[in-house]
Amino acid sequence: MLAVEKHWINVQQKTFTKWLNDKLKVRRIFIDDLVVDLSDGVILIHLLEILGGESLGRYASKPKLRVQKFENVNKSLDFIKGRRIQMTNIGAEDVVDGNRKIVLGLIWTLILRFTISDINAEGMTAKAGLLLWCQRKTACYEGVQVRDFSTSWNDGLAFCALLDIHRPDLIDFDALDKKDHRGNMKLAFDIASNEIGIPDLLDVDDVCDVAKPDEKSLMTYIAYWFHAFSQLERVENAGRRVEKFINNMHGAWEMQNSYERRMKELLRLIAAQREEWKTASFEGTYKDAKEQAHQFSLYKRNQKRQWVAEKSDLAALLGNIKTKLSTYRLKPYEPPAELSLEVCDEQWEGLTRDEHERSQLINETIRDIKNALRRSFADKANDFALTLKTLSLAISGLDGDVEDQLAHVKRLNDNLPPLDAFLDTIAALDEQCAEANIEENDWTTYTLDELSYELSLVKSSISKKLAFLDNQLVARNMTNLTPIQLEEFESVFRHFDRDSSNTLLELEFSAALASLGLVYDEEEMHQVYLETCGPARLAQNAGVSFEQFIHFMVSVVEDQNSAEQVLQSFREVADGKPYVTELDLRHSLIPDEVIEHLVQTMPPHQGPDLQEDRDLPKYDYISFMGKMMEYNQTQPHAPANGDS
């Protein structure tokens, strides 16, 4: 930006800011930066209300949103256009975004309209009239030549001449030092401000010895001088009265148009709302009914309140129109019959009735939906509970052959999947009840949690019954085990089958064997598990079945009579000693005839003994079993594994 242009813009902004503050002081408003302070439109509305002498109506006094600022500025621009003030390329976005040149142009337009436009002479424009007035008042002063509103004023003499011609008591023009430009200008500005009451819109540095002082700033300032000294005050006042009257009449017409437009729109909105309620329907779900209740609540909090305020404003506006016309003794205004306050009151009463009926309908619908949900949940929950009870009785009442019982339990087990689907339906109803805030239900005592728990019990009972019957079939076919052994093995299997799956995983299998006295190291245990489980079940990670467990125990029991196992049993009876006493044998509950046979057959122990056994006969079971094992090994046997 050129330095000269930047200078006049700064001067112009400062001058216009002071002009604004001079106008705004009646409302005790002060601005620092007109570009920034006018951007939200509030100060501009204050200014126009002061300049125009009337209210611009409702506006956002503390706008925060950009759209609110736009509305304020547009209201101001509409007011200016309504005053038929010519504006070129000035939009709301220029003011809101702080376009400096545009804002200065807008203020200059207002200055021309409200400060300079009423200055005229001999049919000239305001500018020409103001210049002619200055030329006539300073024509008789030597060294003063007013040709424009720029360089003609930069030596201060023209201002001093205007003071001298109107108030010679305040200044002696002839005594001035004509070369002291700054001193003369400062003297004139001080007198104008302090004695005449002219606002000091300009500083001495803005004009004195400036190559080209800003024309608009000077015109604005000199216009104040014109108004202060003009001898045409009476004519000007009369002109202002005429202008005010015309403006008021124009305002009354705008108020009438505004009333009719706003009343028509309010009646349309009321009719549309009533029609919407009449044609509204419900889907039959709680969610839909609650949403319609929510929309109705929003209407009462927002839309209705706006309509109440608008109805009140329209009544006040009509009163203001009548008062305005009465003041000037003009023909009173009566709105069209269909836009009268009486019609509005009738429609409002209808809206109130419809609103009450709408509220009742929504509440009744919600109550009906809640009751229907309660009844639906109760019916299904009661049926479900009855089905579970029937299944439980069927399980507990089983009798007859194991095969028949097993077939019956399998049929019961086939009925479980439909029950899961049935429970899902009940769960969906329970969710709907929760959404509807239904906590009590007089038609049932069951809850979803209770039904789910009872179903799990029935499933567990059927699963356990199936396992029990399967195990009974397996046990019945194991003729090489005694009943006591079968009962012990089955009891151990059920104890370590924690999840009632009728299978034992590796750790469960290991624990079960250990409880039966079969202890293996980790590697041996893993191999035993793999062999017992089999590749097919290993692939499915199914574990050892009851039947496999029983077969394994049969193999263990049948293999307990080997010489090595008998030798190990002697060690256990002797509690690890290299000999055994008759007392040790009797403590092991071996029959008396077997003990007598062993005492007669086993050789005496010749080695060291324990103190507590020193006086007792001791028998060498190791030598005894050694001879037995040696005897067995020397006996002829059939070839095996390819031996010849």
Side-chain angles (χ1 to χ4, degrees), residues 352-381:
T352 303
R353 288 194 302 272
D354 292 349
E355 179 184 309
H356 179 68
E357 293 174 1
R358 177 66 175 171
S359 178
Q360 286 184 323
L361 179 60
I362 290 174
N363 292 336
E364 290 173 359
T365 301
I366 290 177
R367 283 195 295 270
D368 291 344
I369 291 174
K370 283 189 173 183
N371 287 333
L373 284 173
R374 290 189 183 97
R375 196 56 184 263
S376 180
F377 178 87
D379 290 344
K380 288 181 171 53

Side-chain angles (χ1 to χ4, degrees), residues 118 232-247:
D118 56 352
L232 303 177
E233 183 176 355
R234 182 179 60 83
V235 177
E236 292 174 358
N237 288 338
R240 289 192 183 93
R241 283 196 297 272
V242 172
E243 181 185 4
K244 183 177 181 181
F245 175 79
I246 298 301
N247 287 338

Side-chain angles (χ1 to χ4, degrees), residues 283-449:
E283 296 177 0
T285 64
Y286 178 80
K287 181 178 181 181
D288 171 68
K290 198 65 178 177
E291 175 61 24
Q292 294 201 40
H294 175 65
Q295 293 301 323
F296 183 71
S297 177
L298 289 179
Y299 152 79
K300 295 185 71 174
R301 288 202 308 267
N302 300 323
Q303 195 171 16
K304 183 182 178 182
R305 292 181 182 180
Q306 294 174 6
W307 292 353
V308 170
E310 180 70 353
K311 184 173 178 290
S312 176
D313 288 347
L314 286 172
L317 178 59
L318 183 59
N320 291 341
I321 293 172
K322 293 181 176 181
T323 301
K324 196 177 190 71
L325 296 175
S326 175
T327 300
Y328 292 95
R329 299 179 181 179
L330 297 175
K331 180 181 178 181
Y333 167 73
E334 289 296 337
E338 68 275 10
L339 300 179
S340 65
L341 291 178
E342 291 75 18
V343 170
C344 183
D345 289 337
E346 292 175 2
Q347 292 298 315
W348 193 262
E349 290 177 4
L351 177 70
T352 303
R353 288 194 302 272
D354 292 349
E355 179 184 309
H356 179 68
E357 293 174 1
R358 177 66 175 171
S359 178
Q360 286 184 323
L361 179 60
I362 290 174
N363 292 336
E364 290 173 359
T365 301
I366 290 177
R367 283 195 295 270
D368 291 344
I369 291 174
K370 283 189 173 183
N371 287 333
L373 284 173
R374 290 189 183 97
R375 196 56 184 263
S376 180
F377 178 87
D379 290 344
K380 288 181 171 53
N382 293 336
D383 290 346
F384 190 82
L386 180 60
T387 302
L388 294 181
K389 183 176 180 182
T390 302
L391 288 174
S392 297
L393 291 174
I395 295 171
S396 62
L398 287 175
D399 197 6
D401 294 338
V402 174
E403 288 84 354
D404 294 339
Q405 292 186 44
L406 182 61
H408 188 66
V409 174
K410 286 182 177 180
R411 287 195 297 271
L412 294 178
N413 190 60
D414 292 339
N415 292 327
L416 292 180
L419 287 180
D420 288 329
F422 195 1
L423 188 64
D424 290 339
T425 301
I426 296 175
L429 285 172
D430 183 72
E431 184 177 354
Q432 294 179 42
C433 289
E435 291 177 353
N437 297 319
I438 297 175
E439 297 179 354
E440 75 291 338
N441 194 332
D442 295 336
W443 286 299
T444 186
T445 60
Y446 297 105
T447 66
L448 177 63
D449 288 341

Side-chain angles (χ1 to χ4, degrees), residues 81-355:
K81 293 175 183 177
R83 288 299 189 93
R84 299 178 182 178
I85 299 173
Q86 186 66 34
M87 294 189 302
T88 304
N89 297 328
I90 298 179
E93 64 278 5
D94 297 318
V95 179
V96 173
D97 294 335
N99 189 319
R100 194 178 184 189
K101 287 188 177 181
I102 297 296
V103 172
L104 291 175
L106 173 61
I107 300 303
W108 173 243
T109 300
L110 296 177
I111 292 173
L112 281 176
R113 180 66 179 82
F114 293 100
T115 301
I116 301 176
S117 65
D118 56 352
I119 302 174
N120 58 74
E122 300 178 1
M124 297 180 177
T125 63
K127 178 180 178 181
L130 182 59
L131 182 61
L132 180 60
W133 177 82
C134 294
Q135 289 172 340
R136 286 177 174 175
K137 297 298 182 180
T138 61
C140 60
Y141 289 88
E142 184 179 357
V144 178
Q145 292 185 354
V146 178
R147 298 179 299 275
D148 52 32
F149 291 107
S150 183
T151 56
S152 299
W153 302 83
N154 58 7
D155 61 0
L157 292 178
F159 289 109
C160 293
L162 287 176
L163 282 174
D164 187 74
I165 194 67
H166 292 102
R167 294 290 303 273
D169 58 315
L170 297 177
I171 192 171
D172 184 358
F173 185 85
D174 295 331
L176 297 174
D177 180 2
K178 305 303 187 290
K179 296 181 180 180
D180 186 9
H181 298 174
R182 180 174 294 276
N184 294 337
M185 189 169 294
K186 185 177 186 308
L187 176 63
F189 282 10
D190 289 342
I191 293 174
S193 175
N194 299 329
E195 302 295 337
I196 311 300
I198 298 174
D200 51 346
L201 303 186
L202 289 175
D203 294 333
V204 173
D205 292 334
D206 297 335
V207 184
C208 182
D209 294 332
V210 175
K212 189 177 181 180
D214 179 59
E215 181 183 75
K216 292 179 181 179
S217 299
L218 273 169
M219 284 183 65
T220 303
Y221 184 47
I222 294 169
Y224 274 87
W225 288 61
F226 169 84
H227 290 298
F229 296 131
S230 179
Q231 298 299 318
L232 303 177
E233 183 176 355
R234 182 179 60 83
V235 177
E236 292 174 358
N237 288 338
R240 289 192 183 93
R241 283 196 297 272
V242 172
E243 181 185 4
K244 183 177 181 181
F245 175 79
I246 298 301
N247 287 338
N248 283 330
M249 292 306 95
H250 184 71
W253 178 79
E254 289 183 339
M255 290 166 68
Q256 292 175 23
N257 284 343
S258 176
Y259 170 85
E260 294 179 9
R261 174 177 50 78
R262 291 165 61 185
M263 178 61 78
K264 186 176 181 180
E265 178 63 12
L266 178 60
L267 293 175
R268 185 192 69 79
L269 291 173
I270 292 174
Q273 184 62 75
R274 296 180 66 186
E275 181 63 25
E276 179 184 333
W277 286 342
K278 289 179 182 179
T279 58
S281 61
F282 293 89
E283 296 177 0
T285 64
Y286 178 80
K287 181 178 181 181
D288 171 68
K290 198 65 178 177
E291 175 61 24
Q292 294 201 40
H294 175 65
Q295 293 301 323
F296 183 71
S297 177
L298 289 179
Y299 152 79
K300 295 185 71 174
R301 288 202 308 267
N302 300 323
Q303 195 171 16
K304 183 182 178 182
R305 292 181 182 180
Q306 294 174 6
W307 292 353
V308 170
E310 180 70 353
K311 184 173 178 290
S312 176
D313 288 347
L314 286 172
L317 178 59
L318 183 59
N320 291 341
I321 293 172
K322 293 181 176 181
T323 301
K324 196 177 190 71
L325 296 175
S326 175
T327 300
Y328 292 95
R329 299 179 181 179
L330 297 175
K331 180 181 178 181
Y333 167 73
E334 289 296 337
E338 68 275 10
L339 300 179
S340 65
L341 291 178
E342 291 75 18
V343 170
C344 183
D345 289 337
E346 292 175 2
Q347 292 298 315
W348 193 262
E349 290 177 4
L351 177 70
T352 303
R353 288 194 302 272
D354 292 349
E355 179 184 309

